[in-house]
Amino acid sequence: MRVDLFDFELPEASIALRPASPRDASRLLVVRPGESLADRGVRDLPALLNPGDALVFNDTRVIPARLSGIRHRAGGAGQRCEAMLHLREAPDRWRAFARPAKRLAPGDRIRFGEGETTSEVCAMAGLDATVEERGEGGEILLRFDLAGPALDEAIAALGALPLPPYIAGKRPTDARDTTDYQTVYAREPGAVAAPTAGLHFSDALLGAIDAAGIERVHVTLHVGAGTFLPVKADDTDAHRMHAEIGILDAATAARLDAVRARGNRIVAVGTTALRLLESAAGPDGTLRPFSGATDIFITPGYRFRAVDALVTNFHLPRSTLFMLVSAFSGLDTMRAAYAHAIASGYRFYSYGDASLLFPEGAP
């Protein structure tokens, strides 16, 4: 499909730079194809679902994946650079988006933390890595001198929280973001971007969900920085999705299959949870254990097999995520929903408001 079909005008004022406080005070736009849009609040979610339905949460935890350092090359001056980690390939290897990527070449050595002045960095001499590959779109493969837990500790000490570029470009990251940009149920470190639909859920809202008889299920998909990349191709067939690592264990798959078997719905909290469930679903919708990389790219025409409703934020124009929600509820429906959201003052992107989407013909 033509990528420009997924374009729309978004005023700068619609982009949220801070989340609602408390986090469950966000607005919620309910979208049922063929019906009128409904303006609700995230706290209304338990009343909008049925007892026995299951909400599926992505329990990944954001790591401080933005590393700054200096490239060292024999016979040359040092060059300041930055690497945004996005996919771990081995205990000592990460794929990353680098800036300036054109100044890096295989064999280059980078010392991360060099030249920094924060107390955390002062406690560590630095973290060294070798550029093993340079790919397209500024991507490189880094082999670190440390591996496993030792590398994790070094990244935690030297890295910075990777706020999305549409926030980081307007204000600096601060102490509030370390809490705001993490779900209350995050437990599996590995993401370099938050599963932002989950940022709306407070302990109080989770308690209300339990009291309403709605199941809570956790899966893991480590969100990569590729989620922020714009679609530069003119046609969706020419766009390459970056892979992300996900895990759905056998017990959780069986639990969700039982939800469907008794006539209830599987409701994904976020596009990341949805993409993992769809990656794990068989042709008949039965979920199977899944562990590994997924680069599933969902556009209109895709037949959803595992998910009956979706809680998600409002996404970028021309983005793979707006394509996904358009596949789920219909392009015309979502264009109308976004136009309503903009006119009604909904807040967009990672720290913005939420929507509850149903597919065409959903009960």
Side-chain angles (χ1 to χ4, degrees):
M1 296 183 70
R2 296 198 331 264
V3 171
D4 61 8
L5 294 172
F6 303 94
D7 202 2
F8 56 90
E9 291 293 328
L10 183 72
E12 283 287 318
S14 296
I15 301 172
L17 300 183
R18 295 282 186 187
S21 182
R23 59 176 67 209
D24 61 9
S26 297
R27 300 172 71 187
L28 180 73
L29 180 62
V30 182
V31 181
R32 294 181 182 272
E35 299 183 18
S36 298
L37 300 168
D39 298 304
R40 305 290 292 267
V42 168
R43 291 170 182 164
D44 296 325
L45 189 60
L48 295 167
L49 302 177
N50 299 326
D53 289 346
L55 282 164
V56 183
F57 297 89
N58 182 5
D59 65 4
T60 190
R61 187 171 188 84
V62 183
I63 63 172
R66 192 173 73 246
L67 295 171
S68 297
I70 295 178
R71 181 213 71 194
H72 294 280
R73 184 183 292 168
Q79 170 73 47
R80 185 169 292 279
C81 61
E82 181 178 287
M84 174 70 81
L85 307 180
H86 78 88
L87 180 67
R88 190 172 203 157
E89 292 207 337
D92 63 344
R93 287 170 172 81
W94 275 89
R95 290 203 174 271
F97 296 113
R99 292 191 308 174
K102 292 181 180 179
R103 302 251 181 122
L104 296 175
D108 283 351
R109 294 281 289 172
I110 302 174
R111 168 155 287 193
F112 294 109
E114 184 170 330
E116 302 292 336
T117 58
T118 64
S119 60
E120 290 86 357
V121 173
C122 289
M124 176 172 287
L127 173 62
D128 296 308
T130 301
V131 178
E132 291 211 323
E133 298 175 8
R134 194 180 82 184
E136 299 179 353
E139 186 180 56
I140 60 173
L141 177 62
L142 291 170
R143 176 174 53 80
F144 290 92
D145 290 1
L146 299 177
L151 176 57
D152 297 341
E153 291 175 9
I155 291 171
L158 300 176
L161 189 73
L163 276 186
Y166 42 77
I167 297 176
K170 294 182 180 297
R171 65 165 180 83
T173 303
D174 57 31
R176 284 180 56 186
D177 292 306
T178 61
T179 300
D180 288 344
Y181 199 60
Q182 204 80 262
T183 65
V184 298
Y185 48 81
R187 63 186 183 191
E188 299 293 340
V192 302
T196 54
L199 298 180
H200 302 288
F201 290 81
S202 63
D203 290 330
L205 180 55
L206 294 176
I209 288 166
D210 293 340
I214 298 163
E215 289 196 43
R216 287 195 282 131
V217 179
H218 292 92
V219 298
T220 304
L221 183 78
H222 293 313
V223 190
T227 190
F228 301 132
L229 294 180
V231 178
K232 296 181 179 179
D234 293 327
D235 192 276
T236 57
D237 286 345
H239 179 70
R240 179 177 71 92
M241 289 286 285
H242 286 83
E244 296 167 313
I245 302 299
I247 301 171
L248 173 67
D249 62 39
T252 303
R255 183 178 173 187
L256 289 171
D257 285 336
V259 170
R260 276 271 190 82
R262 65 173 179 253
N264 283 104
R265 297 174 296 193
I266 294 176
V267 182
V269 177
T271 56
T272 60
L274 180 146
R275 292 178 65 245
L276 177 59
L277 293 174
E278 292 295 323
S279 299
D284 63 351
T286 300
L287 288 165
R288 300 161 181 170
F290 183 94
S291 180
T294 177
D295 59 359
I296 188 171
F297 181 22
I298 296 174
T299 58
Y302 178 86
R303 184 177 68 86
F304 289 86
R305 298 173 293 183
V307 175
D308 304 300
L310 171 65
V311 179
T312 187
N313 284 21
F314 293 95
H315 304 294
L316 283 163
R318 301 173 70 98
S319 66
T320 61
L321 300 182
F322 185 61
M323 294 172 190
L324 184 154
V325 297
S326 297
F328 194 76
S329 296
L331 178 57
D332 290 343
T333 296
M334 292 312 301
R335 290 185 68 89
Y338 273 44
H340 170 86
I342 293 168
S344 302
Y346 279 78
R347 302 161 71 247
F348 274 61
Y349 304 163
S350 296
Y351 276 158
D353 294 312
S355 60
L356 172 62
L357 309 182
F358 294 91
E360 292 182 328

